[in-house]
Amino acid sequence: MRLQGAIFVLLPHLGPILVWLFTRNQMSGWCEDPRMLSWCPLHKVLLLVQTIIYSVVGYASYLVWKDLRGGLGWSLALPLGLYALQLTISWTVLVLFFIVHNPGLALLHLLLLYGLVVSTALIWHPINKLAALLLLPYLAWLTVTAALTYHLWRDSLCPVHQPLPTEKSN
């Protein structure tokens, strides 16, 4: 893999690194709330999976770029333009979730992102089948992430789902 390949693999990590710089002191308590879902992954697992997924998707984008003969031509506009849009939305989800603390808005962006990833896979498939297939783990991860975000949003907006305070009797 050439230098360009390394750039494509590292580029998706730019957004999460910037978000981490702003939220690194707030992330240690991830999923430690007693009301948290039993299937919520540990913070370190989330980081590991996200790092692997972003690296794989970055490599897939490199395969598409390479198969379209690199450079900056019109043939790259749709396949890599969709990818750039999906990266932007993905980074926006991180900002909405970890900085703005708005899981409802993050969920809407996750649903948009899901559609963009499916669209990207469909556009990439005729160009490079492996690149399109490498997006499937990302879709699986987005499904888990959307489910988690939905439950966090639902529990924060619906007091019925939150435990009622109990009074201790003497």
Side-chain angles (χ1 to χ4, degrees), residues 41-119:
L42 298 172
H43 175 252
K44 291 178 183 178
V45 173
L46 288 171
L47 288 176
L48 177 65
V49 171
Q50 193 72 29
T51 300
I52 292 168
I53 295 283
Y54 275 161
S55 297
V56 168
V57 171
Y59 178 68
S61 70
Y62 167 72
L63 293 175
V64 169
W65 177 81
K66 186 179 73 158
D67 283 1
L68 291 174
R69 294 177 179 53
L72 296 170
W74 280 107
S75 63
L76 294 167
L78 181 60
L80 293 185
L82 271 175
Y83 172 65
L85 182 58
Q86 115 187 6
L87 262 184
T88 304
I89 298 296
S90 178
W91 296 345
T92 302
V93 168
L94 294 174
V95 169
L96 289 171
F97 198 85
F98 292 111
I99 296 175
V100 179
H101 304 288
N102 189 333
L105 204 49
L107 179 61
L108 289 175
H109 282 76
L110 276 170
L111 296 174
L112 174 62
L113 179 59
Y114 200 91
L116 284 170
V117 174
V118 169
S119 300

Side-chain angles (χ1 to χ4, degrees), residues 10-55:
L10 294 175
L11 177 66
H13 298 284
L14 181 62
I17 289 169
L18 291 173
V19 170
W20 177 81
L21 288 172
F22 288 109
T23 63
R24 65 178 170 241
N25 297 328
Q26 302 167 9
M27 296 184 68
S28 63
W30 180 251
C31 286
E32 292 176 2
D33 189 304
R35 296 173 300 170
M36 190 49 63
L37 303 168
S38 62
W39 51 272
C40 180
L42 298 172
H43 175 252
K44 291 178 183 178
V45 173
L46 288 171
L47 288 176
L48 177 65
V49 171
Q50 193 72 29
T51 300
I52 292 168
I53 295 283
Y54 275 161
S55 297

